[in-house]
Amino acid sequence: MPSSTSGSSRRLFARARRVLPGGVNSPVRAFKAVQGQPPFIARGTGAHIADVDGRRYIDYVMSWGPLIHGHAPAGLTKALVTATKRGTSFGAPTALEVQLAERVCSLVPSIERVRFVNSGTEATMTALRLARAATRKDKIIKFQGCYHGHADPLLVQAGSGALTLGVPTSPGVTKASAANTLVANYNDLESVKRLFRIHRRKIAAVIIEPIAGNMGVIPPQKGFLEELRELCDQSGVLLIFDEVISGFRVALGGAQTIFGVKPDLTCLGKIIGGGLPVGAYGGRADLMTHIAPDGPVYQAGTLSGNPLAMTAGTWTLSRLSERLYHQLAKLGDQLAEGLAEVASEAGVQLRVNSFGSMVTPFFTNRPVCNYRSATDANTRLYGVFFRSMLRHGIYPPPSQFESWFLSAAHEAHDIERTIDAARLAMRAVARS
Ligand SMILES: *Cc1c(COP(=O)(O)O)cnc(C)c1O
């Protein structure tokens, strides 16, 4: 069996491992979950990437979501060159920040004021600080399997039994930082009600991915977000939507416009930076005035709102349209249906979850609606599937529990080629 990487990538990975932990700057890139060696990427155009050994792939990672217009769109490259020549960072106000902020506030219904940061992690971390300050309460609720970046209070999983407090999922996270994080079950309102009952009047906020994307794609069940909103209102608890993936991915105003649910605070990232490091949090003006320098809640950033990031964000958001979302959803359906079909031909048990241009094929025979059912999926089979796809020039996410992302640059014939490769990969899975 040919290996999935060749000479130059292998040599670079060996060098990388001597100077970077695991050879990477973010763990999933090391391919540990699929028992492979990562190709090192040299360049990307549109829906395609090429590695340092000259192999080409149709890309479904798309930098984990930001690249909704594909790799290196000509207009963006040009805008960035122009911006670069004017200076890459001033640490002082620029018109570009105002321009992007106005666009975000006009697109996302619940955002009246927005603060730009450099990553989704910073956005969620600060949104929680703000929620705690505004409510003068300490506890927060997150959902098992939702990812909100790597701030200490969010690297937490459910303890055993409803009374137990969150427990750290990473060494170095203290019990104290985990103790104020309560963990509920996605798509299970009862689990939230239970926590509300036990910790009455101590809960500042509930944070949720309105469409879960970090345990694979799991859409919210009918009524779940609406009822969560009501529950929060009844108890004076703030609702935070982490739309770092779903904002601008599923609709112009994010998942909140699709479901008609208005969160108090929204976290953004990924697409808002168009491939440059940007995150943002925003919401009701009365809440956002708690943030320094208007209010006492401290948060700052040397490179926040820098001209390159703002240019990429503005370029990217200005080219989104209903038409584009329609086109992306069509491709998403084509991919989801194609994967299901070739699995069934090969006799492989597969459940494909999708929402517009987000797709996850789960190697399981049961519906996937929460963390437990997601983790029922067979990760070994996903590994077999993934390695076969990579050998055939398709680059899916190197983990079962991630979303595939489509872009404006993907075309119907890319999906057809992908399904052809998936047909072979499913046979390999069936044989394994
Ligand atoms: C990616 C992601 C984050 C973290 O963003 P970073 O920019 O990687 O820090 C937070 N929340 C969600 C839902 C994400 O998908």
Side-chain angles (χ1 to χ4, degrees), residues 109-110 210 220 223 225-227 229-230 233 239 241 243 250-251 253-263 355:
S110 67
L225 296 173
E226 293 87 332
E227 286 167 34
R229 175 72 274 183
E230 263 175 49
D233 284 341
L239 178 61
F241 273 7
E243 297 226 44
V250 296
Q256 54 195 270
T257 55
I258 293 183
F259 298 104
V261 175
K262 209 167 175 181
F355 199 107

Side-chain angles (χ1 to χ4, degrees), residues 119-121 147-149 209 214 242 244-245 270:
S119 67
T121 295
Y147 176 69
H148 305 292
E209 290 177 76
N214 284 289
D242 180 352
V244 168
I245 290 181
K270 300 196 167 114

